[in-house]
Amino acid sequence: MSYQLIKDDKTWAEGIFQKLNIKLKAECARMENIIPYIPRDGRYHDLDTGEGIYWWTNGFWPGLLWQMYQATKHEVYRNQAEAVEKRLDEALAGYEGLHHDVGFMWLHTSVANYRLTGNRESRRRGLHAANLLAGRYNPVGRFIRAWNEDRRGWIIIDTMMNLPLLYWASRETGDPRFLFMAENHADTAMNAIIRPDGSSNHIAILSPDTGECLETPAGQGYAPGSSWSRGQAWAVYGFALSCRYTGRKQYLDTAKKAAHYVIANFAQNNWLPLVDFRSPKEPLKYDATAAVISACGLLEIASQVGEYEEALYAGSAIKILRACEKAFADWDAEKDGVMGKGTAAYHDSSENTEVPIIYGDYFFTEAILRLLGNDFLIW
Ligand code: GLY
């Protein structure tokens, strides 16, 4: 991104990075290679989701560690990232609990390791995960099915963030099949999930026999037809990434359309993130993860547009990040989790509502490093 931060924003981002380094090192010292999700009583525990080693968020802590390793070269970050990657071999071999989120899980672990260190064992794990994702492709409907059991035709907006595993595998092996599947899925999602106003459904149920769109239920948002903010964020970032890897402008246009919708909604709420942009005013529920993912997506768009456009996207990302940090961040190094007020789903239990969630910290850190020009693209 050629966007020049104004001095005040640069000073702020540098200060946040120093605080992240202090707090994340303190967390590392307590972790003992656990795989965190949501801290309870200020402490992360190992895999307390009920879905254990298969849980979709299990790559984010290693991803955060690789980002910090890349930025600082401190071995403590690398050592823990490598240890968690090895633990995830149980999931890679176990197969049945896995679904489309193998992208989130292995881009942040093995592919990141391979990109930064050239580890061939990590490359093998990444290609194995890419083949699992490719195995979920429906060639008639031209989509990657999201979930298991009888949900054969279900696609969800989140999958856009898993496609970079296929883009990587195509480049890595020279085999265009992965690219074809990713592009075909992105085209299907663009037509079936993104609405004309730039908002996004979470789910579209397609006929697994024909690809016809049958229904768009609510998913993790408030209700059918509402607007789950994390889903909007996946749309902004996911389509921007598809443009980066394919050069196809219609993906960037879709990302921009989703971004304009997101920016308008954030601006209406002091740049703070509601869980759903189309939900009742009360109870007021926040999801900081939607904010920091949106910020990363807006910064990705800013990196792909010309100098007269980038200020809209980068400037909005900075407003979102500064508002969230001021309202929700916890810098107490004795407590696990930086970015508070993350919400797993609109109707989730209170213990998963307005709490720190590991991917909130991942995307917050990625966004800060992007602002400082010191990130590496994990996607
Ligand atoms: N990918 C699932 C979620 O965003 O909650």
mmCIF file of all heavy atoms in Angstrom, residues 109-151:
data_model
loop_
_atom_site.group_PDB
_atom_site.id
_atom_site.type_symbol
_atom_site.label_atom_id
_atom_site.label_comp_id
_atom_site.label_asym_id
_atom_site.label_seq_id
_atom_site.Cartn_x
_atom_site.Cartn_y
_atom_site.Cartn_z
ATOM 1 N N THR A 109 -0.957 -21.867 9.686
ATOM 2 C CA THR A 109 0.024 -22.720 10.359
ATOM 3 C C THR A 109 1.078 -23.151 9.335
ATOM 4 O O THR A 109 2.115 -22.537 9.199
ATOM 5 C CB THR A 109 -0.673 -23.938 11.007
ATOM 6 O OG1 THR A 109 -1.495 -24.593 10.014
ATOM 7 C CG2 THR A 109 -1.559 -23.507 12.172
ATOM 8 N N SER A 110 0.741 -24.183 8.577
ATOM 9 C CA SER A 110 1.756 -24.789 7.704
ATOM 10 C C SER A 110 2.164 -23.891 6.536
ATOM 11 O O SER A 110 3.363 -23.776 6.230
ATOM 12 C CB SER A 110 1.215 -26.116 7.167
ATOM 13 O OG SER A 110 0.872 -26.945 8.243
ATOM 14 N N VAL A 111 1.180 -23.270 5.878
ATOM 15 C CA VAL A 111 1.549 -22.442 4.726
ATOM 16 C C VAL A 111 2.363 -21.232 5.199
ATOM 17 O O VAL A 111 3.358 -20.849 4.573
ATOM 18 C CB VAL A 111 0.301 -22.025 3.907
ATOM 19 C CG1 VAL A 111 0.696 -21.134 2.737
ATOM 20 C CG2 VAL A 111 -0.429 -23.267 3.389
ATOM 21 N N ALA A 112 1.966 -20.674 6.333
ATOM 22 C CA ALA A 112 2.740 -19.545 6.887
ATOM 23 C C ALA A 112 4.159 -19.996 7.210
ATOM 24 O O ALA A 112 5.137 -19.304 6.877
ATOM 25 C CB ALA A 112 2.059 -19.002 8.140
ATOM 26 N N ASN A 113 4.290 -21.159 7.834
ATOM 27 C CA ASN A 113 5.611 -21.688 8.180
ATOM 28 C C ASN A 113 6.452 -21.868 6.905
ATOM 29 O O ASN A 113 7.595 -21.400 6.823
ATOM 30 C CB ASN A 113 5.426 -23.026 8.913
ATOM 31 C CG ASN A 113 6.730 -23.570 9.474
ATOM 32 O OD1 ASN A 113 7.811 -23.113 9.118
ATOM 33 N ND2 ASN A 113 6.636 -24.560 10.347
ATOM 34 N N TYR A 114 5.839 -22.489 5.902
ATOM 35 C CA TYR A 114 6.569 -22.723 4.642
ATOM 36 C C TYR A 114 6.991 -21.408 3.989
ATOM 37 O O TYR A 114 8.124 -21.246 3.526
ATOM 38 C CB TYR A 114 5.693 -23.550 3.699
ATOM 39 C CG TYR A 114 6.278 -23.703 2.320
ATOM 40 C CD1 TYR A 114 7.496 -24.356 2.123
ATOM 41 C CD2 TYR A 114 5.616 -23.177 1.210
ATOM 42 C CE1 TYR A 114 8.040 -24.485 0.849
ATOM 43 C CE2 TYR A 114 6.154 -23.304 -0.060
ATOM 44 C CZ TYR A 114 7.357 -23.956 -0.231
ATOM 45 O OH TYR A 114 7.897 -24.069 -1.490
ATOM 46 N N ARG A 115 6.058 -20.451 3.987
ATOM 47 C CA ARG A 115 6.399 -19.176 3.342
ATOM 48 C C ARG A 115 7.554 -18.466 4.052
ATOM 49 O O ARG A 115 8.388 -17.829 3.428
ATOM 50 C CB ARG A 115 5.169 -18.256 3.332
ATOM 51 C CG ARG A 115 4.166 -18.600 2.233
ATOM 52 C CD ARG A 115 2.873 -17.811 2.405
ATOM 53 N NE ARG A 115 2.076 -17.809 1.183
ATOM 54 C CZ ARG A 115 0.772 -17.593 1.145
ATOM 55 N NH1 ARG A 115 0.097 -17.380 2.261
ATOM 56 N NH2 ARG A 115 0.126 -17.599 -0.004
ATOM 57 N N LEU A 116 7.582 -18.586 5.383
ATOM 58 C CA LEU A 116 8.601 -17.840 6.136
ATOM 59 C C LEU A 116 9.910 -18.611 6.302
ATOM 60 O O LEU A 116 10.963 -18.009 6.444
ATOM 61 C CB LEU A 116 8.064 -17.445 7.519
ATOM 62 C CG LEU A 116 6.976 -16.358 7.518
ATOM 63 C CD1 LEU A 116 6.473 -16.103 8.938
ATOM 64 C CD2 LEU A 116 7.501 -15.060 6.921
ATOM 65 N N THR A 117 9.822 -19.953 6.343
ATOM 66 C CA THR A 117 11.046 -20.716 6.651
ATOM 67 C C THR A 117 11.425 -21.719 5.570
ATOM 68 O O THR A 117 12.502 -22.312 5.630
ATOM 69 C CB THR A 117 10.882 -21.520 7.972
ATOM 70 O OG1 THR A 117 10.023 -22.651 7.721
ATOM 71 C CG2 THR A 117 10.308 -20.676 9.089
ATOM 72 N N GLY A 118 10.528 -21.982 4.614
ATOM 73 C CA GLY A 118 10.816 -22.965 3.576
ATOM 74 C C GLY A 118 10.693 -24.412 4.033
ATOM 75 O O GLY A 118 11.121 -25.328 3.323
ATOM 76 N N ASN A 119 10.070 -24.644 5.193
ATOM 77 C CA ASN A 119 9.926 -25.999 5.749
ATOM 78 C C ASN A 119 9.110 -26.897 4.798
ATOM 79 O O ASN A 119 7.934 -26.640 4.542
ATOM 80 C CB ASN A 119 9.227 -25.866 7.117
ATOM 81 C CG ASN A 119 9.071 -27.191 7.825
ATOM 82 O OD1 ASN A 119 8.955 -28.240 7.193
ATOM 83 N ND2 ASN A 119 9.053 -27.126 9.143
ATOM 84 N N ARG A 120 9.721 -27.963 4.277
ATOM 85 C CA ARG A 120 9.056 -28.824 3.283
ATOM 86 C C ARG A 120 7.943 -29.665 3.899
ATOM 87 O O ARG A 120 6.971 -30.014 3.230
ATOM 88 C CB ARG A 120 10.068 -29.760 2.616
ATOM 89 C CG ARG A 120 11.188 -29.057 1.896
ATOM 90 C CD ARG A 120 10.726 -28.249 0.717
ATOM 91 N NE ARG A 120 10.251 -29.038 -0.406
ATOM 92 C CZ ARG A 120 9.862 -28.526 -1.574
ATOM 93 N NH1 ARG A 120 9.877 -27.216 -1.757
ATOM 94 N NH2 ARG A 120 9.450 -29.301 -2.543
ATOM 95 N N GLU A 121 8.094 -30.027 5.162
ATOM 96 C CA GLU A 121 7.038 -30.778 5.840
ATOM 97 C C GLU A 121 5.773 -29.904 5.947
ATOM 98 O O GLU A 121 4.651 -30.378 5.772
ATOM 99 C CB GLU A 121 7.537 -31.205 7.235
ATOM 100 C CG GLU A 121 6.576 -32.022 8.081
ATOM 101 C CD GLU A 121 6.285 -33.394 7.489
ATOM 102 O OE1 GLU A 121 6.915 -33.759 6.492
ATOM 103 O OE2 GLU A 121 5.394 -34.080 8.030
ATOM 104 N N SER A 122 5.972 -28.631 6.186
ATOM 105 C CA SER A 122 4.839 -27.701 6.259
ATOM 106 C C SER A 122 4.190 -27.545 4.885
ATOM 107 O O SER A 122 2.960 -27.468 4.773
ATOM 108 C CB SER A 122 5.300 -26.337 6.775
ATOM 109 O OG SER A 122 5.761 -26.466 8.089
ATOM 110 N N ARG A 123 4.998 -27.490 3.849
ATOM 111 C CA ARG A 123 4.454 -27.419 2.482
ATOM 112 C C ARG A 123 3.560 -28.613 2.205
ATOM 113 O O ARG A 123 2.474 -28.488 1.658
ATOM 114 C CB ARG A 123 5.604 -27.370 1.474
ATOM 115 C CG ARG A 123 5.164 -27.345 0.017
ATOM 116 C CD ARG A 123 6.398 -27.340 -0.885
ATOM 117 N NE ARG A 123 6.048 -27.196 -2.276
ATOM 118 C CZ ARG A 123 5.754 -28.220 -3.083
ATOM 119 N NH1 ARG A 123 5.759 -29.459 -2.611
ATOM 120 N NH2 ARG A 123 5.441 -28.009 -4.342
ATOM 121 N N ARG A 124 4.017 -29.815 2.621
ATOM 122 C CA ARG A 124 3.233 -31.025 2.401
ATOM 123 C C ARG A 124 1.892 -30.936 3.131
ATOM 124 O O ARG A 124 0.840 -31.266 2.579
ATOM 125 C CB ARG A 124 4.022 -32.253 2.884
ATOM 126 C CG ARG A 124 3.356 -33.591 2.579
ATOM 127 C CD ARG A 124 3.992 -34.738 3.353
ATOM 128 N NE ARG A 124 3.929 -34.573 4.790
ATOM 129 C CZ ARG A 124 2.832 -34.717 5.543
ATOM 130 N NH1 ARG A 124 1.681 -34.993 4.981
ATOM 131 N NH2 ARG A 124 2.873 -34.549 6.846
ATOM 132 N N ARG A 125 1.935 -30.456 4.382
ATOM 133 C CA ARG A 125 0.680 -30.306 5.136
ATOM 134 C C ARG A 125 -0.264 -29.329 4.424
ATOM 135 O O ARG A 125 -1.465 -29.554 4.334
ATOM 136 C CB ARG A 125 0.955 -29.785 6.544
ATOM 137 C CG ARG A 125 1.683 -30.755 7.456
ATOM 138 C CD ARG A 125 1.803 -30.121 8.843
ATOM 139 N NE ARG A 125 2.464 -30.991 9.791
ATOM 140 C CZ ARG A 125 3.693 -30.773 10.297
ATOM 141 N NH1 ARG A 125 4.397 -29.705 9.934
ATOM 142 N NH2 ARG A 125 4.203 -31.607 11.166
ATOM 143 N N GLY A 126 0.287 -28.218 3.937
ATOM 144 C CA GLY A 126 -0.538 -27.223 3.258
ATOM 145 C C GLY A 126 -1.184 -27.799 2.005
ATOM 146 O O GLY A 126 -2.377 -27.575 1.732
ATOM 147 N N LEU A 127 -0.418 -28.563 1.232
ATOM 148 C CA LEU A 127 -0.976 -29.160 0.007
ATOM 149 C C LEU A 127 -2.010 -30.234 0.344
ATOM 150 O O LEU A 127 -3.023 -30.379 -0.360
ATOM 151 C CB LEU A 127 0.150 -29.741 -0.850
ATOM 152 C CG LEU A 127 1.069 -28.692 -1.478
ATOM 153 C CD1 LEU A 127 2.231 -29.353 -2.209
ATOM 154 C CD2 LEU A 127 0.289 -27.779 -2.434
ATOM 155 N N HIS A 128 -1.772 -30.963 1.418
ATOM 156 C CA HIS A 128 -2.762 -31.954 1.870
ATOM 157 C C HIS A 128 -4.089 -31.232 2.188
ATOM 158 O O HIS A 128 -5.161 -31.645 1.730
ATOM 159 C CB HIS A 128 -2.201 -32.659 3.116
ATOM 160 C CG HIS A 128 -3.021 -33.796 3.618
ATOM 161 N ND1 HIS A 128 -2.483 -34.847 4.320
ATOM 162 C CD2 HIS A 128 -4.341 -34.056 3.550
ATOM 163 C CE1 HIS A 128 -3.433 -35.691 4.644
ATOM 164 N NE2 HIS A 128 -4.571 -35.236 4.188
ATOM 165 N N ALA A 129 -3.995 -30.127 2.934
ATOM 166 C CA ALA A 129 -5.210 -29.373 3.291
ATOM 167 C C ALA A 129 -5.888 -28.826 2.033
ATOM 168 O O ALA A 129 -7.128 -28.844 1.923
ATOM 169 C CB ALA A 129 -4.855 -28.244 4.248
ATOM 170 N N ALA A 130 -5.107 -28.344 1.066
ATOM 171 C CA ALA A 130 -5.685 -27.812 -0.176
ATOM 172 C C ALA A 130 -6.443 -28.907 -0.925
ATOM 173 O O ALA A 130 -7.515 -28.670 -1.499
ATOM 174 C CB ALA A 130 -4.587 -27.223 -1.057
ATOM 175 N N ASN A 131 -5.907 -30.107 -0.907
ATOM 176 C CA ASN A 131 -6.609 -31.219 -1.569
ATOM 177 C C ASN A 131 -7.901 -31.585 -0.848
ATOM 178 O O ASN A 131 -8.894 -31.951 -1.495
ATOM 179 C CB ASN A 131 -5.677 -32.426 -1.698
ATOM 180 C CG ASN A 131 -4.796 -32.304 -2.935
ATOM 181 O OD1 ASN A 131 -5.237 -32.589 -4.040
ATOM 182 N ND2 ASN A 131 -3.583 -31.823 -2.761
ATOM 183 N N LEU A 132 -7.904 -31.462 0.475
ATOM 184 C CA LEU A 132 -9.161 -31.692 1.204
ATOM 185 C C LEU A 132 -10.201 -30.647 0.803
ATOM 186 O O LEU A 132 -11.384 -30.956 0.614
ATOM 187 C CB LEU A 132 -8.922 -31.641 2.719
ATOM 188 C CG LEU A 132 -8.097 -32.781 3.315
ATOM 189 C CD1 LEU A 132 -7.856 -32.534 4.801
ATOM 190 C CD2 LEU A 132 -8.805 -34.119 3.119
ATOM 191 N N LEU A 133 -9.762 -29.404 0.651
ATOM 192 C CA LEU A 133 -10.699 -28.343 0.263
ATOM 193 C C LEU A 133 -11.200 -28.579 -1.166
ATOM 194 O O LEU A 133 -12.397 -28.464 -1.452
ATOM 195 C CB LEU A 133 -10.010 -26.978 0.392
ATOM 196 C CG LEU A 133 -10.887 -25.745 0.229
ATOM 197 C CD1 LEU A 133 -12.064 -25.741 1.210
ATOM 198 C CD2 LEU A 133 -10.069 -24.463 0.403
ATOM 199 N N ALA A 134 -10.278 -28.941 -2.044
ATOM 200 C CA ALA A 134 -10.667 -29.215 -3.434
ATOM 201 C C ALA A 134 -11.647 -30.385 -3.502
ATOM 202 O O ALA A 134 -12.533 -30.424 -4.369
ATOM 203 C CB ALA A 134 -9.421 -29.513 -4.274
ATOM 204 N N GLY A 135 -11.511 -31.328 -2.585
ATOM 205 C CA GLY A 135 -12.415 -32.483 -2.553
ATOM 206 C C GLY A 135 -13.850 -32.122 -2.210
ATOM 207 O O GLY A 135 -14.750 -32.949 -2.350
ATOM 208 N N ARG A 136 -14.064 -30.905 -1.769
ATOM 209 C CA ARG A 136 -15.415 -30.465 -1.405
ATOM 210 C C ARG A 136 -16.105 -29.760 -2.581
ATOM 211 O O ARG A 136 -17.222 -29.249 -2.449
ATOM 212 C CB ARG A 136 -15.353 -29.514 -0.195
ATOM 213 C CG ARG A 136 -14.613 -30.094 0.992
ATOM 214 C CD ARG A 136 -14.660 -29.172 2.195
ATOM 215 N NE ARG A 136 -15.995 -29.100 2.756
ATOM 216 C CZ ARG A 136 -16.516 -29.994 3.586
ATOM 217 N NH1 ARG A 136 -15.808 -31.034 3.971
ATOM 218 N NH2 ARG A 136 -17.749 -29.850 4.041
ATOM 219 N N TYR A 137 -15.450 -29.721 -3.732
ATOM 220 C CA TYR A 137 -15.973 -28.979 -4.878
ATOM 221 C C TYR A 137 -17.095 -29.738 -5.561
ATOM 222 O O TYR A 137 -16.983 -30.937 -5.822
ATOM 223 C CB TYR A 137 -14.834 -28.733 -5.872
ATOM 224 C CG TYR A 137 -15.241 -27.902 -7.054
ATOM 225 C CD1 TYR A 137 -15.551 -26.558 -6.905
ATOM 226 C CD2 TYR A 137 -15.317 -28.468 -8.328
ATOM 227 C CE1 TYR A 137 -15.930 -25.788 -7.995
ATOM 228 C CE2 TYR A 137 -15.683 -27.705 -9.420
ATOM 229 C CZ TYR A 137 -15.999 -26.366 -9.250
ATOM 230 O OH TYR A 137 -16.373 -25.614 -10.332
ATOM 231 N N ASN A 138 -18.187 -29.026 -5.857
ATOM 232 C CA ASN A 138 -19.310 -29.588 -6.610
ATOM 233 C C ASN A 138 -19.213 -29.055 -8.044
ATOM 234 O O ASN A 138 -19.447 -27.867 -8.295
ATOM 235 C CB ASN A 138 -20.628 -29.152 -5.962
ATOM 236 C CG ASN A 138 -21.842 -29.679 -6.710
ATOM 237 O OD1 ASN A 138 -21.877 -29.680 -7.939
ATOM 238 N ND2 ASN A 138 -22.846 -30.108 -5.975
ATOM 239 N N PRO A 139 -18.852 -29.920 -9.019
ATOM 240 C CA PRO A 139 -18.582 -29.420 -10.379
ATOM 241 C C PRO A 139 -19.833 -28.994 -11.142
ATOM 242 O O PRO A 139 -19.733 -28.193 -12.079
ATOM 243 C CB PRO A 139 -17.899 -30.610 -11.068
ATOM 244 C CG PRO A 139 -18.222 -31.811 -10.259
ATOM 245 C CD PRO A 139 -18.547 -31.351 -8.872
ATOM 246 N N VAL A 140 -21.001 -29.501 -10.772
ATOM 247 C CA VAL A 140 -22.222 -29.084 -11.469
ATOM 248 C C VAL A 140 -22.653 -27.705 -10.966
ATOM 249 O O VAL A 140 -22.916 -26.786 -11.745
ATOM 250 C CB VAL A 140 -23.358 -30.120 -11.260
ATOM 251 C CG1 VAL A 140 -24.627 -29.645 -11.962
ATOM 252 C CG2 VAL A 140 -22.928 -31.479 -11.792
ATOM 253 N N GLY A 141 -22.694 -27.551 -9.642
ATOM 254 C CA GLY A 141 -23.079 -26.255 -9.069
ATOM 255 C C GLY A 141 -21.951 -25.251 -9.061
ATOM 256 O O GLY A 141 -22.173 -24.080 -8.805
ATOM 257 N N ARG A 142 -20.708 -25.695 -9.317
ATOM 258 C CA ARG A 142 -19.517 -24.835 -9.322
ATOM 259 C C ARG A 142 -19.348 -24.121 -7.984
ATOM 260 O O ARG A 142 -19.229 -22.915 -7.908
ATOM 261 C CB ARG A 142 -19.584 -23.832 -10.484
ATOM 262 C CG ARG A 142 -19.699 -24.525 -11.839
ATOM 263 C CD ARG A 142 -19.977 -23.559 -12.969
ATOM 264 N NE ARG A 142 -18.825 -22.776 -13.318
ATOM 265 C CZ ARG A 142 -18.795 -21.443 -13.299
ATOM 266 N NH1 ARG A 142 -19.847 -20.764 -12.955
ATOM 267 N NH2 ARG A 142 -17.704 -20.794 -13.637
ATOM 268 N N PHE A 143 -19.375 -24.917 -6.897
ATOM 269 C CA PHE A 143 -19.179 -24.327 -5.573
ATOM 270 C C PHE A 143 -18.463 -25.313 -4.658
ATOM 271 O O PHE A 143 -18.436 -26.524 -4.923
ATOM 272 C CB PHE A 143 -20.522 -23.919 -4.945
ATOM 273 C CG PHE A 143 -21.459 -25.069 -4.668
ATOM 274 C CD1 PHE A 143 -21.364 -25.825 -3.494
ATOM 275 C CD2 PHE A 143 -22.458 -25.404 -5.581
ATOM 276 C CE1 PHE A 143 -22.236 -26.881 -3.243
ATOM 277 C CE2 PHE A 143 -23.331 -26.466 -5.336
ATOM 278 C CZ PHE A 143 -23.215 -27.206 -4.161
ATOM 279 N N ILE A 144 -17.894 -24.780 -3.574
ATOM 280 C CA ILE A 144 -17.274 -25.595 -2.534
ATOM 281 C C ILE A 144 -18.254 -25.685 -1.378
ATOM 282 O O ILE A 144 -18.651 -24.628 -0.831
ATOM 283 C CB ILE A 144 -15.940 -24.966 -2.090
ATOM 284 C CG1 ILE A 144 -14.948 -25.094 -3.245
ATOM 285 C CG2 ILE A 144 -15.399 -25.624 -0.822
ATOM 286 C CD1 ILE A 144 -13.707 -24.284 -3.084
ATOM 287 N N ARG A 145 -18.667 -26.881 -1.045
ATOM 288 C CA ARG A 145 -19.639 -27.004 0.044
ATOM 289 C C ARG A 145 -18.965 -26.632 1.360
ATOM 290 O O ARG A 145 -17.792 -26.954 1.588
ATOM 291 C CB ARG A 145 -20.263 -28.394 0.108
ATOM 292 C CG ARG A 145 -19.318 -29.503 0.435
ATOM 293 C CD ARG A 145 -20.041 -30.841 0.557
ATOM 294 N NE ARG A 145 -20.811 -30.953 1.779
ATOM 295 C CZ ARG A 145 -21.530 -32.016 2.123
ATOM 296 N NH1 ARG A 145 -21.597 -33.059 1.298
ATOM 297 N NH2 ARG A 145 -22.194 -32.053 3.249
ATOM 298 N N ALA A 146 -19.746 -25.971 2.215
ATOM 299 C CA ALA A 146 -19.161 -25.468 3.464
ATOM 300 C C ALA A 146 -19.081 -26.561 4.521
ATOM 301 O O ALA A 146 -18.007 -26.872 5.024
ATOM 302 C CB ALA A 146 -19.978 -24.293 3.983
ATOM 303 N N TRP A 147 -20.247 -27.127 4.834
ATOM 304 C CA TRP A 147 -20.317 -27.980 6.020
ATOM 305 C C TRP A 147 -20.615 -29.426 5.637
ATOM 306 O O TRP A 147 -20.772 -29.754 4.463
ATOM 307 C CB TRP A 147 -21.364 -27.416 6.985
ATOM 308 C CG TRP A 147 -20.954 -26.078 7.557
ATOM 309 C CD1 TRP A 147 -19.697 -25.704 7.942
ATOM 310 C CD2 TRP A 147 -21.799 -24.937 7.775
ATOM 311 N NE1 TRP A 147 -19.718 -24.400 8.406
ATOM 312 C CE2 TRP A 147 -20.978 -23.908 8.325
ATOM 313 C CE3 TRP A 147 -23.167 -24.670 7.584
ATOM 314 C CZ2 TRP A 147 -21.494 -22.652 8.670
ATOM 315 C CZ3 TRP A 147 -23.670 -23.419 7.943
ATOM 316 C CH2 TRP A 147 -22.844 -22.434 8.471
ATOM 317 N N ASN A 148 -20.748 -30.269 6.663
ATOM 318 C CA ASN A 148 -20.853 -31.713 6.440
ATOM 319 C C ASN A 148 -22.285 -32.215 6.610
ATOM 320 O O ASN A 148 -23.222 -31.465 6.427
ATOM 321 C CB ASN A 148 -19.884 -32.447 7.378
ATOM 322 C CG ASN A 148 -18.436 -32.049 7.085
ATOM 323 O OD1 ASN A 148 -18.126 -31.608 5.985
ATOM 324 N ND2 ASN A 148 -17.579 -32.194 8.060
ATOM 325 N N GLU A 149 -22.402 -33.467 6.953
ATOM 326 C CA GLU A 149 -23.692 -34.164 7.082
ATOM 327 C C GLU A 149 -24.520 -33.966 5.809
ATOM 328 O O GLU A 149 -23.988 -34.083 4.729
ATOM 329 C CB GLU A 149 -24.451 -33.694 8.343
ATOM 330 C CG GLU A 149 -23.835 -34.183 9.651
ATOM 331 C CD GLU A 149 -22.820 -33.190 10.220
ATOM 332 O OE1 GLU A 149 -23.045 -31.988 10.103
ATOM 333 O OE2 GLU A 149 -21.795 -33.657 10.744
ATOM 334 N N ASP A 150 -25.808 -33.622 5.974
ATOM 335 C CA ASP A 150 -26.660 -33.564 4.772
ATOM 336 C C ASP A 150 -26.677 -32.174 4.119
ATOM 337 O O ASP A 150 -27.510 -31.910 3.257
ATOM 338 C CB ASP A 150 -28.085 -34.014 5.123
ATOM 339 C CG ASP A 150 -28.686 -33.171 6.222
ATOM 340 O OD1 ASP A 150 -27.958 -32.292 6.758
ATOM 341 O OD2 ASP A 150 -29.858 -33.375 6.558
ATOM 342 N N ARG A 151 -25.738 -31.289 4.512
ATOM 343 C CA ARG A 151 -25.762 -29.922 3.949
ATOM 344 C C ARG A 151 -24.940 -29.881 2.649
ATOM 345 O O ARG A 151 -23.956 -29.146 2.520
ATOM 346 C CB ARG A 151 -25.266 -28.939 5.003
ATOM 347 C CG ARG A 151 -26.296 -28.788 6.124
ATOM 348 C CD ARG A 151 -25.776 -27.987 7.268
ATOM 349 N NE ARG A 151 -24.829 -28.764 8.052
ATOM 350 C CZ ARG A 151 -24.441 -28.460 9.293
ATOM 351 N NH1 ARG A 151 -24.949 -27.399 9.890
ATOM 352 N NH2 ARG A 151 -23.576 -29.205 9.926
#
